[in-house]
Amino acid sequence: PKQFKATLFPGDGIGPEISEAVVKILHAAKCPIEWETHIIDVRSKKPGEMLVSREALDSVLRNGWGLKGPMETPIGKGHRSLNLTLRKELALYANVRPCLSFPGVKTLYENVDVVTVRENTEGEYSGLEHVVSPGIVKSLKVITRDASMRINEFAFKYARNNGRKKVTVVHKATVMKKSDGLFLKCSREVAKNYPDIEFEELLIDNASSFLVSNPSRMDVMVMPNLYGDIISDLCAGLIGGLGLTPSCNIGENCVLAEAVHGTAPDISGKNLANPTALLFSAIMMLREMGLREQASSIESSVFRVLSEGKIRTGDLGGKSSTTEYTQAI
Amino acid sequence: PKQFKATLFPGDGIGPEISEAVVKILHAAKCPIEWETHIIDVRSKKPGEMLVSREALDSVLRNGWGLKGPMETPIGKGHRSLNLTLRKELALYANVRPCLSFPGVKTLYENVDVVTVRENTEGEYSGLEHVVSPGIVKSLKVITRDASMRINEFAFKYARNNGRKKVTVVHKATVMKKSDGLFLKCSREVAKNYPDIEFEELLIDNASSFLVSNPSRMDVMVMPNLYGDIISDLCAGLIGGLGLTPSCNIGENCVLAEAVHGTAPDISGKNLANPTALLFSAIMMLREMGLREQASSIESSVFRVLSEGKIRTGDLGGKSSTTEYTQAI
Ligand SMILES: CC(C)[C@H](C(=O)O)[C@@H](O)C(=O)O
Ligand SMILES: CC(C)[C@H](C(=O)O)[C@@H](O)C(=O)O
C-alpha cells in the first residue's frame, strides 16, 4: 500500500493540541502517513519579514501534502498574511469549504449540505493597492481567464466526482461587467462540458439572501476570491460556526488542509479545544490522497460520537476534554 | 403645516399597482404630499441610451423627495444600470436598509432588528474597468476619505437620532489594507465623536457568519458599497426576503426611497402584489421629512394587519388582493 509523507504545521494557541488529536485519530484509522512537523514561529519574525520559511514551503512542495492548524498574522507589523503567503507561494488555486449539518449539533438549519469552491489567487486579493493622492485609494481586482477557467473546471469536476447535482456560479457581473463578466463567461463555457451537472447563475446579493432563507436550494457554488471568503463564512454560520467547518486548499503540486478558525488563546493549553474542524480538513486531505475508506470511517466515528451527545467539548455545550473526545472517536 | 412635493416613479411590472397602493395609504394617513408622477420608459430607449431622462432627475432634485417602484435594466443592451444611474446623478451617497422582523411573518429568526448603512457611490461600483490584455481584466475599487467620512458621519448620526446603541464597521482591511484600511480609519475617527454610541469593528466574513448565527448581536452596520449590497440582502433573507425590506437613498440635496425587489412580471396586473416593501420605503421617506406621526401610524397599521393574520397577500401565504390589503391598512 502507498505510503504518504505530509507536512504538519501545528499552529498557535490551541493549534498544537488539536493537531495532536488529529494525528492520533488518523493513526488509529491506519492512515499510512508519516508526518514532518514544522513550527512556524510567527512571533520571532522581524517586522516585514516573511512569516513562512523557505524550508516550510519546500517541505509541503516535496511531500505534496500539508495540514495546518490555526495561526494568526501579527497585526500592524507589515507582515503579509500568513494564509495568503501560503496560498500564493504554494500556488493553491482552489479553496474548498464544505458545510454539512452535524448530527447532534443544533442550529436553526437542518440538513445543510453546500460546498463553496473559491478562487484562491486573485480578485480583490491581488495585493495591488495604490494611494492615488492623499485620501484617494485604488485597489485592483484582477480577474484572468486562466484562473477563472481553472477554478470552474475544478468546481465542475469536483461536483461530478462527489455525486453532486448542481453548480451555481456566484457573481456580480451586472455591475462588474468586465471582471465578473469574464468569470461568468468561463463558468458558462465549462458548464457546457458537464451536461450531467445542472448549472445556475446567481448574483452574490441574491445568493446571500437565498442561503439564509433556503440553503437546501444550493449545492456546489463556485465564485471569485472575495465572494468565496464571505459566502463560506456565511455557510459556516448556518451549521454552527468556524469551529466545525473544514477547509482544503488545492494546488497543481500540493494540497494544504487547514483549520480556518482562530487560535482561541483563552482556552489554549487547557485540553478544552474542539479538534473537529481540523479533523474534517484532514479528512478532505485523505480523500484527495485516495484514502476514502479511512476518511469515511473517521467521519462516521465523529458523527456517531456527536449524535450520541454524551461526549462533546465546551463549544458545543459539553464538558468533555479534547483528549476524551479524541479517545471516543 | 408644511406641504411637500415628491416625485413618483411607479416602475414596471407590479410597480404601478404597489405605487398606487402606497399613495392611497399615505393619503389616508393625511401625509401632506403632492405627487409628481414620472414614467421611466425603459423599453423605448435605444441601446446605450441613458435610461433616466433629465426631466425625471430634475424633478427629484427640484422636489427634494422621490419614491421609486421596481424597475429592471434591460440586460445586454449596453445600458448603465438604472439604479446606479439614479444614485450617481442624484448624488445619493447613503443607502439605508433596516431589517426588522415583521409580526406574524414566520422565519427562522425572531426579533431581528438591524440596519445596513451602505456607502453608495464608490468601491467596486466605480464603473472603472479595464481589459489589460485579452483574458486579463482589472476592476478598480475606489475608496476616498471624503466619501468614507461622509458615510460614517451619516451612520453615527443615524444611530444617535434613532435611539440605536451600536455601530459596527464591516470591512476587510486585513487584506485590502489601504482601501478598506482608509474606510476603517474614518470609522474610528468619527466614532470618537460619538462616545454615546458603542463602536465595533468586524471583518466582512465574520460579520456574515455572526448575522446568520446570532443577528441580535448586531445593530447599525456601516460599510463600503459592495459589502452593503451583500449584507443588506443577507439581512433581508433573515426576515423573509426582499419583498418586505425597505430601502432609502439619501443625498445632499434629495432623498429617494425605493423598493429593491423585482418587477414580478408573473403576477403583474393581477392585483396580487405585496406593497409592503415600497410602503416601508415610503415610511422611511416620511421620517426624513419629519412626518414622524404619519410614519408611525402607518407602520402600526401594517403591524396590526399582519399580526392579525387574516388579510395577507399570496407571497405571505394568504389569499388577499393588493387592494384588500391596502384597504385593511
Ligand atoms: C485570514 C484571511 C486572510 C483569510 C481570507 O480572507 O482568505 C481567512 O478569512 C480565510 O477565509 O481563510
Ligand atoms: C440592481 C443593482 C445594481 C443594485 C446594486 O447592486 O446596488 C441592487 O442589487 C441593489 O442592492 O440595490
Side-chain angles (χ1 to χ4, degrees):
Chain A
K2 201 175 161 185
Q3 274 289 126
F4 294 88
K5 258 187 113 167
T7 306
L8 179 69
F9 301 121
D12 299 317
I14 56 171
E17 303 160 63
I18 60 176
S19 299
E20 194 190 315
V22 169
V23 167
K24 266 194 197 149
I25 293 167
L26 265 60
H27 182 75
K30 301 205 168 45
C31 298
I33 303 176
E34 188 191 322
W35 297 96
E36 189 175 303
T37 303
H38 269 268
I39 311 290
I40 299 187
D41 183 8
V42 163
R43 249 148 282 260
S44 75
K45 296 288 187 300
K46 296 197 195 72
E49 202 181 341
M50 171 114 146
L51 292 176
V52 195
S53 67
R54 196 62 254 169
E55 289 84 28
L57 295 171
D58 285 342
S59 164
V60 185
L61 287 171
R62 194 174 51 240
N63 295 325
W65 308 98
L67 180 66
K68 176 183 151 288
M71 286 179 227
E72 266 152 38
T73 305
I75 287 174
K77 297 207 170 160
H79 292 295
R80 168 143 218 218
S81 150
L82 192 125
N83 291 302
L84 301 189
T85 306
L86 284 167
R87 291 177 199 165
K88 179 110 193 173
E89 298 292 328
L90 299 174
L92 299 164
Y93 65 86
N95 183 217
V96 188
R97 299 200 182 165
C99 282
L100 184 71
S101 295
F102 282 91
V105 177
K106 251 194 113 59
T107 74
L108 293 173
Y109 298 85
E110 278 161 32
N111 306 320
V112 174
D113 183 6
V114 296
V115 182
T116 304
V117 175
R118 166 182 181 185
E119 202 292 319
N120 218 14
T121 67
E122 53 183 34
E124 277 94 339
Y125 282 67
S126 72
L128 302 169
E129 294 193 294
H130 178 57
V131 179
V132 182
S133 65
I136 305 185
V137 181
K138 285 186 193 164
S139 293
L140 282 187
K141 164 169 173 166
V142 177
I143 300 285
T144 67
R145 185 177 158 82
D146 285 354
S148 304
M149 286 301 285
R150 187 170 58 177
I151 194 70
N152 277 290
E153 281 288 359
F154 178 90
F156 278 90
K157 211 173 285 166
Y158 178 94
R160 186 180 275 169
N161 291 344
N162 289 276
R164 297 272 170 178
K165 304 250 169 307
K166 184 166 83 168
V167 171
T168 301
V169 56
V170 176
H171 68 96
K172 190 86 193 184
T174 47
V175 170
M176 280 154 282
K177 295 188 205 245
K178 292 185 187 167
S179 58
D180 280 13
L182 175 57
F183 192 92
L184 179 60
K185 194 163 164 278
C186 293
S187 302
R188 288 176 182 165
E189 254 180 77
V190 173
K192 288 212 189 88
N193 300 329
Y194 292 82
D196 49 321
I197 307 287
E198 192 191 332
F199 173 55
E200 180 189 40
E201 305 177 2
L202 263 190
L203 291 165
I204 172 78
D205 45 344
N206 294 336
S208 309
S209 187
F210 292 154
L211 276 168
V212 161
S213 52
N214 183 18
S216 55
R217 188 185 177 296
M218 302 294 208
D219 191 342
V220 174
M221 300 174 285
V222 63
M223 64 201 84
N225 209 342
L226 180 65
Y227 307 152
D229 183 47
I230 299 171
I231 293 291
S232 62
D233 268 33
L234 190 170
C235 293
L238 300 175
I239 63 160
L242 287 182
L244 291 171
T245 50
S247 168
C248 191
N249 297 283
I250 316 266
E252 307 278 8
N253 302 307
C254 60
V255 165
L256 180 67
E258 60 178 351
V260 283
H261 56 68
T263 55
D266 49 322
I267 58 162
S268 112
K270 297 190 179 147
N271 197 20
L272 293 172
N274 184 348
T276 307
L278 189 63
L279 181 59
F280 273 84
S281 304
I283 291 175
M284 292 181 76
M285 183 183 80
L286 296 181
R287 292 221 160 89
E288 292 294 323
M289 287 171 162
L291 302 174
R292 296 200 161 238
E293 251 176 65
Q294 288 91 331
S296 298
S297 99
I298 298 173
E299 198 170 70
S300 67
S301 295
V302 178
F303 287 164
R304 206 168 337 133
V305 170
L306 286 177
S307 38
E308 283 173 9
K310 275 181 294 191
I311 296 188
R312 46 174 71 202
T313 44
D315 57 316
L316 297 180
K319 296 202 147 114
S320 311
S321 66
T322 310
T323 41
E324 280 164 332
Y325 180 65
T326 305
Q327 198 56 44
I329 296 170
Chain B
K2 199 174 162 187
Q3 275 288 127
F4 295 88
K5 259 188 113 168
T7 305
L8 180 68
F9 301 121
D12 300 318
I14 57 171
E17 304 161 61
I18 60 175
S19 299
E20 195 190 316
V22 169
V23 167
K24 267 193 195 149
I25 293 167
L26 265 58
H27 182 75
K30 302 204 167 50
C31 298
I33 302 176
E34 190 190 320
W35 297 96
E36 191 175 302
T37 303
H38 271 267
I39 311 288
I40 300 187
D41 184 6
V42 163
R43 249 148 281 258
S44 74
K45 296 290 188 297
K46 298 196 196 72
E49 202 182 340
M50 171 114 147
L51 292 175
V52 195
S53 67
R54 196 63 254 169
E55 291 83 30
L57 294 171
D58 285 342
S59 165
V60 185
L61 286 172
R62 194 173 53 241
N63 296 326
W65 308 98
L67 180 66
K68 176 183 152 290
M71 287 179 227
E72 265 151 40
T73 305
I75 289 175
K77 296 205 168 162
H79 293 295
R80 168 144 217 214
S81 151
L82 192 126
N83 291 303
L84 300 189
T85 306
L86 284 166
R87 291 178 200 165
K88 179 113 194 172
E89 298 292 326
L90 300 173
L92 299 163
Y93 65 84
N95 183 215
V96 188
R97 298 199 182 164
C99 282
L100 185 70
S101 295
F102 282 91
V105 177
K106 251 193 113 60
T107 74
L108 292 174
Y109 298 85
E110 277 162 33
N111 307 319
V112 175
D113 183 7
V114 296
V115 182
T116 304
V117 175
R118 166 183 180 184
E119 203 290 320
N120 218 14
T121 67
E122 53 182 34
E124 276 95 340
Y125 283 67
S126 70
L128 302 169
E129 294 193 293
H130 178 56
V131 179
V132 182
S133 64
I136 304 186
V137 181
K138 285 185 192 165
S139 292
L140 282 187
K141 164 167 173 167
V142 178
I143 299 285
T144 68
R145 184 177 160 82
D146 285 354
S148 304
M149 285 302 284
R150 188 170 58 176
I151 194 70
N152 276 291
E153 280 289 358
F154 178 91
F156 278 90
K157 211 173 284 165
Y158 178 93
R160 185 181 277 170
N161 291 345
N162 289 276
R164 296 273 170 177
K165 305 252 171 305
K166 182 165 83 169
V167 172
T168 302
V169 56
V170 176
H171 68 96
K172 191 85 192 184
T174 47
V175 170
M176 281 155 280
K177 295 190 201 239
K178 292 184 187 167
S179 59
D180 281 13
L182 175 57
F183 193 93
L184 178 60
K185 193 162 165 277
C186 293
S187 302
R188 288 177 182 166
E189 251 180 81
V190 174
K192 288 214 187 90
N193 300 329
Y194 292 82
D196 49 322
I197 306 287
E198 191 191 333
F199 174 56
E200 179 189 39
E201 305 177 3
L202 263 189
L203 291 166
I204 172 77
D205 46 343
N206 293 338
S208 308
S209 187
F210 292 154
L211 276 168
V212 161
S213 52
N214 182 18
S216 56
R217 189 185 177 296
M218 301 293 207
D219 190 342
V220 174
M221 299 173 285
V222 63
M223 64 201 84
N225 209 342
L226 180 65
Y227 306 152
D229 184 47
I230 299 171
I231 293 291
S232 63
D233 269 34
L234 189 170
C235 293
L238 300 175
I239 64 160
L242 286 181
L244 291 169
T245 49
S247 168
C248 192
N249 297 283
I250 316 266
E252 307 277 7
N253 303 307
C254 61
V255 165
L256 180 67
E258 60 177 351
V260 284
H261 55 68
T263 57
D266 50 321
I267 58 162
S268 113
K270 297 190 179 148
N271 197 22
L272 293 172
N274 184 350
T276 306
L278 189 63
L279 182 59
F280 273 84
S281 304
I283 291 175
M284 291 180 77
M285 183 183 80
L286 296 181
R287 292 222 161 90
E288 291 293 323
M289 287 169 161
L291 301 174
R292 297 202 160 236
E293 251 176 64
Q294 288 90 330
S296 298
S297 100
I298 299 172
E299 197 170 70
S300 67
S301 295
V302 179
F303 288 163
R304 207 168 335 134
V305 171
L306 286 178
S307 38
E308 283 171 11
K310 275 181 295 191
I311 297 187
R312 50 174 71 202
T313 44
D315 57 315
L316 298 180
K319 295 198 145 114
S320 311
S321 66
T322 310
T323 43
E324 280 165 331
Y325 179 65
T326 305
Q327 199 56 47
I329 296 170

